Amino acid sequence: MWDMPYKISSNGTLTMKRGDMKKMTDSWLLDLYEKTVRSAFIGSCGQLSKSTEKSLILELRSRNLI
């Protein structure tokens, strides 16, 4: 069985390591970004831990996606 590269805590916060992000496709990471970081500005319920949010933004920048 395939393990998910992220964990979701009891309060609904998603955490993921940058090493696991490097294995993911561009479209998967952009989708995660759209559903969490960007949508937070318009009141959506997606939530990342602060360290995961920073890692996601760094990974997307390193791939020249944002």
Side-chain angles (χ1 to χ4, degrees):
M1 181 177 207
W2 187 66
D3 289 329
M4 298 307 273
Y6 54 84
K7 305 261 188 282
I8 299 177
S9 67
S10 60
N11 67 355
T13 301
L14 184 141
T15 58
M16 185 175 185
K17 295 179 182 174
R18 180 120 189 247
D20 291 329
M21 288 181 192
K22 290 183 179 296
K23 300 174 191 171
M24 305 310 291
T25 63
D26 292 352
S27 61
W28 193 92
L29 291 174
L30 283 170
D31 188 47
L32 178 63
Y33 179 75
E34 287 289 324
K35 291 179 178 173
T36 55
V37 179
R38 277 191 85 206
S39 65
F41 295 111
I42 56 174
S44 184
C45 61
Q47 185 177 10
L48 296 176
S49 68
K50 289 296 179 193
S51 62
T52 300
E53 183 177 328
K54 289 176 185 176
S55 294
L56 177 59
I57 291 170
L58 286 172
E59 183 60 28
L60 291 170
R61 284 183 181 161
S62 73
R63 296 181 187 198
N64 296 317
L65 298 172
I66 59 169

